[in-house]
Structures are given as C-alpha cells and as structure tokens.
Amino acid sequence: MSTPTVGVLALQGDTREHLAALREAGADAVTVRRLAELESVDALVIPGGESTTMSHLLRELGLLEPLRARLADGMPAYGSCAGMILLATEIADAGVPGREALPLRGIDITVRRNAFGRQVDSFEDDIEFEGLEGAMHAVFIRAPWVERVGSDVEVLARAAGHPVAVRQGRMLATAFHPEVTGDRRVHKLFVDSLG
Ligand code: GLN
C-alpha cells in the first residue's frame, strides 16, 4: 500500500485533531459517517469523545454491525480514549442500559470507563511508551484504563500502574489523547503499520 486511506469516525468527538495528526503522519485522512465511507477506507480511527453517544449514533445510523464486521475481518483500527473503550471486547461501567457504550470487540481487553475519574477527572503525565525513544507527554481526560488484557494483547504503556496503551496485531488503543499534543509518534506508529 502506498499512501493508506485512513477514516476517522466523525459522529462525535475530536475528529479534526485526528485528521490533522494522520495527515502529518503520512496518511490520506477522510471522515467516516456513512456505510459507503466505512467500506472505502483501509483503516479507521475512533476519536476521543463520549463512547455512549458514539454507540448510540452508530446504532441509529446502521453502522454498528458493519463496523463490528469490518473489525472482525481484520480492518486495522486505532482508538483514543472513548475510541479505546469502543474497541474493547468488554466494557466495565458501560453506562445506563439503553444508552450504554457498546463494545466493537476489536481488541481482547476489558476497559473501565472513567476509571481515573474516580480519583482525578483529568491529568497529564509523562509516560514511557514501548518502542518509542524518550518520554511521551500524555493527556488523560475522563480516561478509561485497561483491567484485563487477553493473551494476544501487548501492553505498550502504563500510568499509575494501569495499562493505558495496548496493541493486538494492527489494532491499537490509548487511554490518552496524542491527537491533542502535537506528538505524532502514536499516529505514525499506526500509519506505518499499514504499509
Ligand atoms: N469518558 C469518556 C467515555 O466514556 C471518554 C472521554 C474521552 O474520550 N476523553 O467515552
């Protein structure tokens, strides 16, 4: 693949920041709101935002099962924060039944929504990220953490002892928001994995 076309799910959340980060990382980045757009991309980014709202919209727009099917079929995906929650196989504290966050089952993890929020709502930390040189400044906003990691899942970073970046094959997820810091290394890692 020369220049991969990476979709950014654009139903809600910080879509624009991911489009910019992906372009700087060398991808063609396009928004995905409709089935035809989902079908045309090589890979997908699910942004930060609110996982319950995105789940509701995915269902309303008839995208939930097609997206699950593309992920099951091996479409590479990267999710930040709410995107990490959606990419999980299992969500703890998913929300009110009927309006809860729905797992897309791309990465074999259990995530807990708003996990750090019980201690401190939002915070920033310099963390180590497996395979990347030097510290990464990470912004956590009502972030989840990973509570269970399947045997095929690598933990790439931790904060306060909890996994906050994971990879399973060409599926990547971070509990923090690299799209808001100007550090493009996570997006580059994802884009380079598509080649
Ligand atoms: N707490 C949000 C959720 O449950 C995630 C927050 C974020 O994406 N910054 O989806």
Side-chain angles (χ1 to χ4, degrees):
M1 205 183 292
S2 47
T3 304
T5 300
V6 180
V8 178
L9 189 65
L11 306 180
Q12 187 267 338
D14 66 344
T15 307
R16 222 159 16 127
E17 288 79 357
H18 277 291
L19 289 168
L22 286 165
R23 286 172 186 144
E24 285 174 33
D28 276 340
V30 297
T31 54
V32 168
R33 292 191 187 88
R34 296 181 303 117
L35 187 56
E37 293 164 342
L38 175 62
E39 282 166 351
S40 73
V41 295
D42 300 314
L44 187 72
V45 167
I46 305 179
E50 177 49 56
S51 54
T52 56
T53 305
M54 277 190 242
S55 296
H56 178 71
L57 292 170
L58 281 170
R59 194 153 51 183
E60 289 291 299
L61 297 168
L63 290 173
L64 183 65
E65 293 309 329
L67 178 48
R68 280 180 170 154
R70 278 222 66 187
L71 292 169
D73 210 39
M75 176 182 65
Y78 164 50
S80 70
C81 200
M84 170 187 252
I85 295 169
L86 293 176
L87 282 178
T89 46
E90 208 178 352
I91 303 170
D93 264 345
V96 186
R99 278 309 281 239
E100 73 269 47
L102 301 169
L104 297 171
R105 306 189 198 104
I107 303 180
D108 184 17
I109 51 172
T110 303
V111 290
R112 179 167 295 279
R113 280 181 65 234
N114 304 330
F116 291 102
R118 281 170 294 166
Q119 294 158 21
V120 49
D121 216 36
S122 301
F123 63 99
E124 302 189 9
D125 198 6
D126 289 325
I127 61 173
E128 281 175 36
F129 195 107
E130 186 72 35
L132 299 182
E133 196 87 13
M136 175 170 296
H137 189 67
V139 175
F140 296 83
I141 305 167
R142 292 181 62 71
W145 67 43
V146 178
E147 283 195 347
R148 182 193 59 85
V149 175
S151 54
D152 293 336
V153 177
E154 300 166 74
V155 173
L156 302 178
R158 292 176 186 270
H162 302 279
V164 292
V166 292
R167 177 168 58 199
Q168 182 174 11
R170 295 197 297 176
M171 307 272 184
L172 184 67
T174 61
F176 53 94
H177 293 270
E179 71 276 15
V180 303
T181 62
D183 183 337
R184 298 305 180 220
R185 289 178 293 170
V186 173
H187 288 82
K188 192 136 182 19
L189 192 69
F190 181 60
V191 171
D192 289 350
S193 78
L194 306 175

